[in-house]
Amino acid sequence: MTYLRPLLLLKTRRQRALLACSLGLPLLGCVPDFDDNTSQIETLRVLAIHADPAEPAPGEAVQLVALVASDETESPTTLSWSLCTARRPPTEAGPVAQKCLTDFGSESDALTALGEGENVDLSIPADSCRRFGPLPPPVEGNETVSGQPAAPDQTGGYYQPVVVGFSDEPTAPTLGSVRLLCGGANVPQEELVKFNSGYRPNQNPEVAEVTAQLIDDEGGEGKELDWTDGIVAGAEVDWTIHWAECPEQAECGDGLCTAGENATLCADDCRTEPVVGCTGAETYLLADPVSKTVVEQREDIEVSWYATAGTFDLSTTDNDDVVTSSTNRWVAPTEPGQVKLWFVVRDSRRGTTWKNLTVNVVAE
Amino acid sequence: MRFVVSFIAVCASIAVPTPAFAQVDQSGQPGGSAQPSAAPKAPNAPTASRLTKAPELVEFVQAPYPDAELESARSAEVVLSIAVSAEGTVSEAKVIGSASEAFDAAALEAVLRFRFSPAEIDGKPAPVRLTYRYVFEPPPPPVTTGALSGVLRNQATGAPIVGATVQVAEHGEAQTDAQGRFTFVDLPQGPVQVTVVVDGLEAPLKTEEEIAAGVETETSYDVTFPAPVVESEPGDDLEVVVVAPPRLDRRVVSTKIQADEARQLPGTQGDVLKVVESMPGVARSSAGSGAVVVWGAAPADTRTYVGAVRIPALYHFGGLRSVLHGDLIADLELVPGGYGAAYGRGLGGLILVDTKAPQNKGLHGSLQADVLDASAVVSGPLGEKNSAVVSARKSYVAELASLVVDDSAGQYFTIPSYYDAALRFRRELGQGKSLEVGGMLSSDLQNRQSPSNNPALRSSERRTLDFQRVDVHYEQRTGDGERLGVTAWYGHDLATREMESSGVAQEQRGNSHLVGVRVDHQSRLASTLSARVGFDLELVSTENRRKGSLTTPPREGDPYVFGRAPADELSFDTWNSTVVSTAPYVEFDYAPLDDVLHVMPGVRLDPYVQTVSRLRPPQSGSPDLRTLDLDMAVEPRLSVEYTPVDALSLRAGAGLYRQPPLPDDLSSIFGNPLLEPSRGAHVLVGFKYQIIRLLSLDATGFYTRGWDIGSRNPSSTPKVAEALVQEGQSKTMGAQVSLRKELGDDRLYGWLAYTLLRSQRRDAGHSNYRLSDLDQTHVLTAIASYRLGLGFEFGIRARFATGFPRTPVKDAYFDTSRGRYEPITGDRNTIRVPMFFQLDARLSKTFQFKTSKLEAYLDVQNVTNRKNAEEIAYSPDYQEQRFVVGIPILPVLGARWEF
C-alpha cells in the first residue's frame, strides 16, 4: 500500500497511532490520524492472560489468570472463561474463528465453558494439537479424510484460543491464547529429531524491576525518581521495565535449561524440578519451514502500557537496544490524585506477565 | 527482382561430314526483347545425306542476367556451337563468340539443359550441330512503386459517382470518370492516405490504403447518403462507408480511440493509454491502484494486448503512467465483453493496443517532460525498405518528492519509481508484405518504510514488477483485402512483494516465462462471405515462491478491513506451473444483404495442458507428485449486426469463455494445484445510432455469468491442497450508454458515458450472492476537448462513481496475546465507501514551427480539491472511523516537442 501522510513526530505529547498499512492493496491517499486511546483505562478491561505453565502439552494441567484493570478501586464483576474449539476457516481474517467471540455468553459448539473467576484451572484438551497444531485435524461431519493441519506462527508456535469476558457483559469478550507444546513440523526427519531433543518450552517472562526517571523541563537526561514518594502533576516520567538477561548460548551449569539443552545433555540444568528457563528474552529453537532446518532464534519482548490517567507516548514498546528493558514516556495528569498503572510484558512466544503500580500524583 | 533476359537463336547444323543448317526464329522470354538470330553455314555441303527434319526446341531454359554484369547493364551476345544428339538432348556446347566470361557461363549453363525434338537425316533421327546466339538485355530497374485504382459508387443506387476528386497524399489527385473510376500509378509502396472529396460533402472521406510494389491495388468506395431528415438538420450530413477489405473484427460493443485524440484529453497528462480510465464500461479504480476494472470483472480477467503480444499490466504502479509510450500507439480499443473467437483465456474484456509502423519518411520523434517523468521517441527510415522507432521513459517524481519533503516524512511517502522502453524495426518486403521485429520492457518499484517505536505500527513494503517482451511479426496484405499475420513472441515477467507489518513477514515472488504464437488469416471467400481463421498459442511457465499467511494478501471476497494487522501464521511454499493453451479458431462474416445484415458465427477450440510441480505439500521422505491436467473446451461465439436503416445498427452477441487459473493459485498450501479453468458466458444486445455526422449514440445491455471460479474453501479444516475450491460463481448485469462526438474536422470531441451495473459473487459454501468487491453501481464520465484556435485546446473531465463495497465492522475485541484490538466484521460488502466525484481540466498551447511543434500543457486533476473517500479507516480500538482521502488537487505541468 502506498499513502501520503503528514510528517509524524515519533515522540509527541499526544500519542498518535499510525495505521498499519493494508498489505496487498495498493492505494494512493492520505491516511487520517487517530488518537490511540488504548492505553487509557476508563472502563473494566481484561488486559492480559497469564498461563502457567506457559507452554503446556495436550492433557497437561494449566492455570489461567486474567489481569483485570479498572479505574475503580473495586471490581465486583465476575469473569467467565471458555475454550474456543473452532478453527478459523480461510474465509475469515483475524486470529481466531469469529464465532468464538460472537457466540460467547450463549450456547455454542465453538466454545467449551471452563468456569468463572479471575483464574481458572483446566487440562489442555488431548486433541488441541490436532485442532490447532501440526497434526491432522479430527475428521468432522461426513468427511472421511482429515484436513490440512494448522500453520504455525512466526515463532513456530501453535495456540489454543481462550475467550474470557465479564459475566454481566458477555458482548465484549477478550481473546487470549495458550501456546501448545506440539513438537516440530514442516522440516525433514533428521531436523525434527534435533528439534525435539533441544526445544525448551516457553518460560513466562518476569519483571525484574521497574524504574522511573523524571525528565526535566528542557527534556534532557532524566534523574532517578522514587515514584513511591509521589509524582508531580504534569511531570514527564520515563518508565523502564527490566527483565532478566538470558544467555545467548546454552551453557550447562548456569542453572537455566535453555534452547539446545535437555536432561541427557545437561542434567544439572534440565533435571531440576521444576525445570527453570530464563525469564527474559530467551533463545529457542524454530523449525523453519522456509529453510527446512532447525534454527535458533531469540525472543523479542514487548510491553503494553496502561494507566487510569495521564498519557503514554506509545501504547506498546519493544526491547530497547539493550535487550533487557523497555522504556516509555508517561505524562502525569495535571490533576492530583491516585493513578493506577499496568505494564504487561509479553515475549514472542506469548508468554505473559505484568506489573501494576499505584502512584500518587501530587500538586506541584 | 531481377529479370531474366534470354534469347534464342537456333541454327541447325548437322554433325556429320555433310552438315546441313537450318535457321529458326523464336521470340524471347517476357521482360526482354527477343533477338532471334542465326548463323547460317556455308551452302557447299555434300549432298549424300539430306536433312529431312530440322530439330525443334521443345524445352527452353532461361539464362539469368549475370550478377557480375548488372552494374554494366549492357546488352551482350554469346555465340555458341551446340551438339544435339539423336535423342534431342544437348551433348556438347562451346562458346564460339564470347561476350564476357559471365555471359558465356550463363549462356552455356542454360543451353546445356535445352531439349530438342531430334533432327532427322534421310528420315531417321540423327545428331546435328547448331550455332546459337544468346542475346542478353539489361534488366529493367526494380519496381518500387505500385498502382491504386478503384471505383466510387452511390451505395444506395449503385450508380457511379462522376467527377469526384480522389487525392493521394503527397502524390496528386484524380477525378472519377464516367464509370466512377480513378487510377493512380507510380505510388510509393507502403501506406498512403487517400482523401475523397464529393461535391456537397462538408467533410471529405479519409482512409488509408496499402500499396504493394509492382501490384495494382483495386478498391471500391460506396458512399451512403442518408435519407432526408424532417428536423432542420444540415442537409449535407453523410455517412460514408468504405467497403474494401473484410472487417472480421466487428464487435457487438467496443470503444476505439485514435492516439492523437486520446493524448489531448484531460486526465491523461498526454499519456494515450490513460484514456482507458475514461472509457465506457470501465469502473473508477481506487486512487493509485492502476487497476482496470471492466464491467465489474477483476483486473486479471481482462487481457491486454500490444499487437498480438499479451502484457501483464497497462499502467505502472500507482496508475500514474502507462507502460508504453503514446507515440508508438496508433489506436486502442476496449472490448468490455462478448469478444470474438480470435481471443480467449479471459472472462472479462479485451484491451487491444495497435502500434504504429515506424516512420519511413524522414526522421521524426518527440521529447516530453512533466513533473512525473521525461521521455523521448525517435523514428525514421534505415535505408529504402527499413524503418525503426525507439522510445524511452524514466520517472523522477519520487526523487523530486524526496527533495521537497522532510527526510523523516519521506519515510511515509510511497511514490513509485518506473521506467519503460520500446524498440521496433520494420522491413518492407514488397507486394504488401512486411516484417517487424520489436521489443518492450517495463520496470516498477515501490518502496515504503514506516519505522516506529511501537512495534504494532512498524511496517515496510517493497514491490516490484518487471516485464520484457520480444516479438517478430510478419504481415501480408493483398489488394482484395486478404490479410495474413504471423506473430511469435517471448515474454518474461518478474513480480515480487516483501512486506513486514507488526512483526509479521510476508513474501511473494512470481517469475514467468511466456511464449506466444498467433497466426491470423482473413479473406473474402465470396461476395457475401468472409472468413478469419487462425491459431493462438500461449505457454506460461511460472516459478512461484510465497511465505506468510493464507489470507495475506486478501482475495476478492475476503472480509477486508483497511489497516487490520495481517494474520501471523507462517506457511511457505515454492512451486512451478506450466500452462499451455493452443487454440485454433475460425470466424465467419456472412452478409447476405450487403451491409444490412451481418451474421458472424465463430468457434474457438482450446486444448489445454496444465502441470504443477507439487500435488501435495512437501512431506519428508516422500517425493513430490506432479500434476497433469488435460482439457479441451469448445467456445462458440456469435454476433449479429442488423442495419435496418443507414443510421441505426442493432447488435447482439453471445459466447462461452474460459480463463486458466492464476499461477499464484496453484500452490498446494496457499491454493489448489488441481484448479481448472474458470468458465463464463456473455450475452449482449445493443444498438448504435448515428444521430448526425460525427455524433453517435451507443447503448448496450449485458449479462455475464462465471462459474468454476477459484474461491476460498469455507471449511475450517480444508483438505490438504484445497485452500481454494472451484466453486465460486459470478454474475454481472447492466447497461452502458454513451453519446460520442468524433473529432472529424471539428473543434469539439469527447463523450458522455454512463454505466449501470450490478456485479455479484457467490462464494463456495454459500447459497446467496453478495456484491463483488469491484461492484460500482453507477459510473458516469463526461469528457470533452475543444480546440479554441491559435493553438489552444481546452479539455474537461467529470467523473462520478459509486463507492466500492466494503465489509462493516460491527464490534471489536481485545487480543491479549498481541496487545491490540481486532474487528468483528458484519456481512460481506454490505456498506460502501462514499460516492466519488472529480473534475479534471487540461489546457494546452501548441506552437507550430517549420518542421516541428512544441506543446505546453497544464493538466490539473481534482480541480475542486475534493476530498474523495477511498477507504474506510478505523481507530486502533475500531470505535471510530474516518476516510482515507484520495489525491488532492494535482497539477501536472509539462511540455512536448514533436519533430
Side-chain angles (χ1 to χ4, degrees):
Chain A
M1 174 236 163
T2 64
Y3 60 99
L4 300 173
R5 57 163 300 126
L7 170 63
L8 174 76
L9 300 178
L10 296 180
K11 287 200 171 181
T12 58
R13 286 188 177 276
R14 292 193 69 204
Q15 181 173 295
R16 292 189 177 274
L18 267 180
L19 288 177
C21 292
S22 169
L23 299 178
L25 282 184
L27 182 65
L28 199 65
C30 296
V31 179
D33 279 337
F34 290 95
D35 286 338
D36 185 356
N37 299 322
T38 55
S39 288
Q40 295 177 13
I41 302 299
E42 295 169 339
T43 59
L44 209 58
R45 286 173 60 184
V46 175
L47 299 183
I49 294 172
H50 169 94
D52 188 15
E55 190 170 350
E60 190 174 344
V62 62
Q63 184 183 65
L64 302 178
V65 181
L67 170 61
V68 179
S70 166
D71 60 350
E72 302 293 324
T73 53
E74 290 185 18
S75 311
T77 56
T78 306
L79 281 178
S80 289
W81 297 79
S82 290
L83 214 58
C84 172
T85 57
R87 209 166 98 183
R88 177 179 65 82
T91 50
E92 290 184 14
V96 70
Q98 190 161 278
K99 66 187 302 186
C100 287
L101 284 304
T102 55
D103 288 357
F104 183 79
S106 55
E107 289 291 320
S108 172
D109 56 1
L111 294 166
T112 300
L114 294 176
E116 295 184 340
E118 279 205 6
N119 59 69
V120 66
D121 294 310
L122 68 147
S123 289
I124 296 296
D127 62 352
S128 286
C129 287
R130 293 172 71 82
R131 287 191 182 277
F132 302 103
L135 301 178
V139 176
E140 292 179 351
N142 297 327
E143 297 291 337
T144 56
V145 179
S146 64
Q148 193 158 315
D153 74 348
Q154 312 259 321
T155 66
Y158 304 89
Y159 302 88
Q160 166 66 61
V162 172
V163 184
V164 62
F166 298 104
S167 301
D168 55 357
E169 200 177 349
T171 55
T174 299
L175 177 69
S177 59
V178 180
R179 187 177 174 101
L180 298 169
L181 187 63
C182 294
N186 302 316
V187 292
Q189 189 61 33
E190 60 272 20
E191 292 294 316
L192 211 54
V193 169
K194 192 194 304 183
F195 179 88
N196 289 332
S197 69
Y199 181 79
R200 304 308 318 151
N202 191 28
Q203 181 86 29
N204 283 310
E206 287 181 8
V207 176
E209 189 184 8
V210 178
T211 59
Q213 283 199 326
L214 183 67
I215 307 301
D216 63 25
D217 290 342
E218 282 78 40
E221 186 132 344
K223 59 180 184 182
E224 202 73 29
L225 171 70
D226 184 356
W227 50 269
T228 57
D229 291 340
I231 297 175
V232 174
E236 290 188 22
V237 177
D238 274 355
W239 293 98
T240 300
I241 309 300
H242 302 266
W243 51 83
E245 183 174 3
C246 294
E248 286 193 22
Q249 287 192 350
E251 189 178 322
C252 191
D254 62 358
L256 300 173
C257 189
T258 51
E261 293 181 314
N262 56 45
T264 305
L265 295 175
C266 184
D268 287 347
D269 292 343
C270 298
R271 279 201 181 162
T272 58
E273 197 59 49
V275 176
V276 177
C278 183
T279 57
E282 299 180 274
T283 54
Y284 63 96
L285 296 185
L286 167 67
D288 184 9
V290 179
S291 64
K292 299 284 188 278
T293 59
V294 173
V295 298
E296 201 169 279
Q297 301 265 75
R298 178 179 278 274
E299 290 175 345
D300 287 321
I301 292 193
E302 291 182 0
V303 181
S304 291
W305 310 76
Y306 305 95
T308 54
T311 55
F312 282 103
D313 262 6
L314 300 165
S315 59
T316 305
T317 58
D318 53 5
N319 36 271
D320 299 336
D321 293 339
V322 175
V323 297
T324 57
S325 67
S326 186
T327 302
N328 199 6
R329 183 161 296 181
W330 178 71
V331 178
T334 53
E335 291 293 322
Q338 268 201 346
V339 178
K340 295 182 188 175
L341 298 122
W342 295 265
F343 313 122
V344 175
V345 182
R346 289 184 303 275
D347 63 29
S348 303
R349 292 190 282 174
R350 302 192 196 175
T352 305
T353 192
W354 54 78
K355 186 77 175 178
N356 57 286
L357 311 169
T358 302
V359 300
N360 285 323
V361 173
V362 297
E364 199 163 353
Chain B
M1 180 180 291
R2 185 182 303 156
F3 287 88
V4 175
V5 179
S6 63
F7 308 93
I8 296 180
V10 174
C11 203
S13 65
I14 301 173
V16 290
T18 57
F21 300 91
Q23 181 169 318
V24 176
D25 279 338
Q26 288 193 15
S27 58
Q29 295 302 310
S33 57
Q35 295 282 334
S37 60
K41 283 282 271 189
N44 298 323
T47 56
S49 298
R50 237 170 20 98
L51 179 68
T52 53
K53 178 173 179 283
E56 291 182 11
L57 183 64
V58 297
E59 186 175 327
F60 168 75
V61 176
Q62 284 191 354
Y65 195 90
D67 288 344
E69 297 290 346
L70 279 174
E71 193 173 340
S72 66
R74 64 184 175 95
S75 301
E77 283 188 1
V78 178
V79 182
L80 306 104
S81 172
I82 303 173
V84 180
S85 71
E87 290 76 31
T89 58
V90 175
S91 56
E92 186 194 345
K94 58 182 179 181
V95 175
I96 57 176
S98 172
S100 76
E101 192 176 326
F103 283 122
D104 294 350
L108 268 174
E109 194 275 336
V111 299
L112 283 173
R113 291 187 281 142
F114 283 178
R115 285 191 63 81
F116 292 83
S117 63
E120 292 181 1
I121 296 178
D122 296 334
K124 295 178 184 170
V128 295
R129 183 169 288 278
L130 312 173
T131 301
Y132 281 70
R133 181 181 304 146
Y134 247 95
V135 180
F136 290 89
E137 292 291 342
V143 178
T144 58
T145 59
L148 173 68
S149 59
V151 62
L152 198 64
R153 285 191 294 252
N154 182 317
Q155 197 203 23
T157 63
I161 298 176
V162 179
T165 301
V166 182
Q167 302 165 338
V168 173
E170 299 178 19
H171 187 81
E173 62 182 44
Q175 306 290 322
T176 55
D177 60 16
Q179 286 75 44
R181 292 197 59 82
F182 60 90
T183 301
F184 292 90
V185 296
D186 293 332
L187 294 176
Q189 63 181 354
V192 294
Q193 299 296 322
V194 178
T195 303
V196 176
V197 181
V198 179
D199 279 345
L201 267 184
E202 188 171 307
L205 159 72
K206 294 180 190 292
T207 186
E208 186 177 279
E209 299 288 349
E210 186 74 23
I211 303 300
V215 173
E216 181 172 348
T217 301
E218 177 73 26
T219 187
S220 67
Y221 303 133
D222 288 358
V223 178
T224 301
F225 294 83
V229 293
V230 176
E231 299 83 13
S232 56
E233 293 285 348
D236 56 355
D237 295 332
L238 294 170
E239 178 178 339
V240 182
V241 176
V242 176
V243 178
R247 278 183 51 216
L248 273 152
D249 54 353
R250 293 177 188 277
R251 312 194 206 281
V252 177
V253 57
S254 76
T255 305
K256 191 167 185 176
I257 294 180
Q258 301 298 314
D260 289 337
E261 289 181 19
R263 185 178 290 114
Q264 299 302 115
L265 291 171
T268 64
Q269 295 105 42
D271 183 349
V272 169
L273 293 179
K274 290 267 287 180
V275 75
V276 172
E277 298 171 343
S278 304
M279 284 179 156
V282 178
R284 207 280 307 178
S285 60
S286 299
S289 75
V292 179
V293 177
V294 180
W295 280 359
D301 293 354
T302 293
R303 315 267 288 185
T304 302
Y305 291 87
V306 176
V309 179
R310 186 167 69 85
I311 60 174
L314 191 62
Y315 301 120
H316 288 291
F317 284 169
L320 297 174
R321 195 70 86 202
S322 63
V323 298
L324 185 65
H325 198 288
D327 282 10
L328 275 65
I329 298 170
D331 57 65
L332 74 111
E333 184 176 7
L334 168 70
V335 187
Y339 53 85
Y343 293 92
R345 306 188 192 104
L347 298 185
L350 286 179
I351 298 174
L352 303 174
V353 180
D354 198 16
T355 53
K356 281 185 199 171
Q359 292 275 359
N360 59 0
K361 286 185 173 51
L363 192 67
H364 296 271
S366 69
L367 296 173
Q368 183 168 343
D370 57 26
V371 297
L372 299 178
D373 54 45
S375 65
V377 177
V378 177
S379 179
L382 298 172
E384 193 176 300
K385 296 185 180 180
N386 307 317
S387 56
V389 60
V390 60
S391 74
R393 171 164 50 204
K394 174 72 174 71
S395 74
Y396 42 67
V397 58
E399 290 80 356
L400 275 182
S402 67
L403 294 175
V404 171
V405 298
D406 183 87
D407 281 350
S408 56
Q411 295 165 355
Y412 302 98
F413 284 81
T414 311
I415 301 172
S417 292
Y418 56 87
Y419 63 84
D420 59 70
L423 169 68
R424 197 135 202 99
F425 169 83
R426 180 183 172 100
R427 179 174 176 86
E428 300 294 342
L429 303 175
Q431 294 188 329
K433 301 173 193 168
S434 65
L435 182 72
E436 289 189 7
V437 179
M440 62 179 292
L441 60 88
S442 170
S443 178
D444 281 87
L445 167 66
Q446 209 164 45
N447 207 348
R448 179 185 56 78
Q449 303 286 331
S450 294
S452 174
N453 284 353
N454 186 339
L457 304 179
R458 202 175 290 153
S459 66
S460 66
E461 184 179 3
R462 186 176 191 276
R463 281 203 308 153
T464 68
L465 174 61
D466 294 89
F467 73 86
Q468 305 88 37
R469 296 289 185 270
V470 176
D471 75 280
V472 178
H473 175 68
Y474 170 79
E475 185 150 323
Q476 177 177 318
R477 294 173 185 263
T478 61
D480 61 359
E482 185 174 343
R483 177 192 172 276
L484 170 68
V486 180
T487 307
W489 59 275
Y490 164 78
H492 174 242
D493 298 347
L494 178 62
T496 66
R497 171 182 269 137
E498 296 163 19
M499 303 165 287
E500 185 157 340
S501 176
S502 306
V504 177
Q506 313 268 343
E507 178 190 318
Q508 262 183 298
R509 176 187 164 96
N511 188 9
S512 298
H513 296 273
L514 304 91
V515 173
V517 175
R518 177 178 285 273
V519 178
D520 189 272
H521 182 257
Q522 300 178 35
S523 63
R524 190 182 292 281
L525 302 179
S527 61
T528 59
L529 183 67
S530 302
R532 179 179 192 178
V533 295
F535 177 78
D536 174 17
L537 176 148
E538 188 172 288
L539 178 151
V540 181
S541 178
T542 306
E543 299 167 0
N544 273 93
R545 174 189 167 97
R546 181 171 167 182
K547 182 176 86 171
S549 76
L550 263 64
T551 52
T552 306
R555 294 177 66 85
E556 194 284 328
D558 283 351
Y560 164 71
V561 175
F562 181 83
R564 183 178 202 172
D568 61 359
E569 297 154 354
L570 179 63
S571 297
F572 175 77
D573 195 17
T574 58
W575 69 101
N576 302 331
S577 65
T578 301
V579 176
V580 182
S581 168
T582 59
Y585 58 85
V586 64
E587 207 168 48
F588 297 98
D589 183 350
Y590 177 54
L593 304 174
D594 282 339
D595 263 346
V596 174
L597 176 68
H598 287 266
V599 179
M600 291 156 283
V603 67
R604 181 181 174 94
L605 299 180
D606 201 352
Y608 166 90
V609 177
Q610 174 181 288
T611 175
V612 184
S613 58
R614 200 177 284 137
L615 173 64
R616 298 173 57 85
Q619 292 175 337
S620 176
S622 298
D624 291 336
L625 294 176
R626 177 170 281 273
T627 73
L628 180 65
D629 183 24
L630 307 173
D631 193 17
M632 159 79 89
V634 178
E635 299 171 32
R637 315 273 169 89
L638 173 68
S639 62
V640 177
E641 185 177 336
Y642 174 55
T643 310
V645 295
D646 292 330
L648 176 67
S649 70
L650 308 174
R651 301 162 179 180
L656 295 181
Y657 301 83
R658 71 175 195 167
Q659 178 170 322
L662 294 174
D664 290 356
D665 288 346
L666 296 175
S667 161
S668 60
I669 291 176
F670 295 95
N672 185 337
L674 294 180
L675 282 179
E676 294 179 351
S678 306
R679 297 166 203 277
H682 295 185
V683 177
L684 303 88
V685 293
F687 71 86
K688 180 172 179 178
Y689 179 60
Q690 195 73 36
I691 302 171
I692 56 174
R693 185 183 63 88
L694 302 177
L695 182 67
S696 62
L697 178 69
D698 201 311
T700 304
F702 53 89
Y703 180 73
T704 70
R705 286 294 303 271
W707 58 93
D708 293 342
I709 298 171
S711 175
R712 291 241 192 251
N713 194 325
S715 168
S716 59
T717 54
K719 288 189 193 141
V720 172
E722 288 190 14
L724 297 179
V725 289
Q726 196 125 36
E727 298 173 13
Q729 296 187 15
S730 70
K731 64 178 177 182
T732 301
M733 64 195 82
Q736 72 175 47
V737 179
S738 68
L739 182 68
R740 182 171 175 183
K741 171 70 172 61
E742 308 271 356
L743 180 56
D745 281 340
D746 289 357
R747 293 169 177 260
L748 174 70
Y749 65 100
W751 61 83
L752 174 67
Y754 171 69
T755 304
L756 171 70
L757 70 77
R758 175 72 74 192
S759 178
Q760 296 175 298
R761 297 284 184 276
R762 184 162 74 189
D763 301 309
H766 289 252
S767 57
N768 296 326
Y769 276 86
R770 55 158 176 88
L771 287 179
S772 154
D773 287 0
L774 301 167
D775 176 74
Q776 232 175 25
T777 310
H778 307 281
V779 180
L780 176 68
T781 303
I783 188 167
S785 189
Y786 188 79
R787 293 179 176 169
L788 299 166
L790 299 176
F792 284 95
E793 185 163 348
F794 176 73
I796 198 162
R797 176 176 72 169
R799 287 188 296 167
F800 166 83
T802 311
F804 284 120
R806 288 292 177 261
T807 298
V809 171
K810 292 193 314 184
D811 204 344
Y813 62 91
F814 189 67
D815 181 358
T816 60
S817 303
R818 298 171 183 80
R820 64 178 182 231
Y821 283 88
E822 293 280 350
I824 294 176
T825 54
D827 292 336
R828 215 78 56 85
N829 289 347
T830 48
I831 61 174
R832 284 188 185 271
V833 174
M835 71 97 170
F836 170 93
F837 176 76
Q838 182 167 303
L839 193 65
D840 309 317
R842 175 186 168 93
L843 179 65
S844 67
K845 162 71 176 154
T846 302
F847 303 90
Q848 195 73 42
F849 304 113
K850 194 173 176 184
T851 57
S852 66
K853 62 180 179 182
L854 175 68
E855 180 194 6
Y857 60 87
L858 175 65
D859 197 316
V860 182
Q861 286 194 62
N862 196 7
V863 169
T864 60
N865 198 26
R866 179 184 163 90
K867 292 178 172 45
N868 283 301
E870 297 287 349
E871 276 294 350
I872 304 172
Y874 296 90
S875 61
D877 59 1
Y878 292 93
Q879 298 306 304
E880 191 184 344
Q881 77 174 47
R882 296 179 197 160
F883 295 111
V884 176
V885 174
I887 303 173
I889 183 169
L890 178 64
V892 175
L893 185 65
R896 173 184 161 87
W897 177 55
E898 191 177 329
F899 58 92

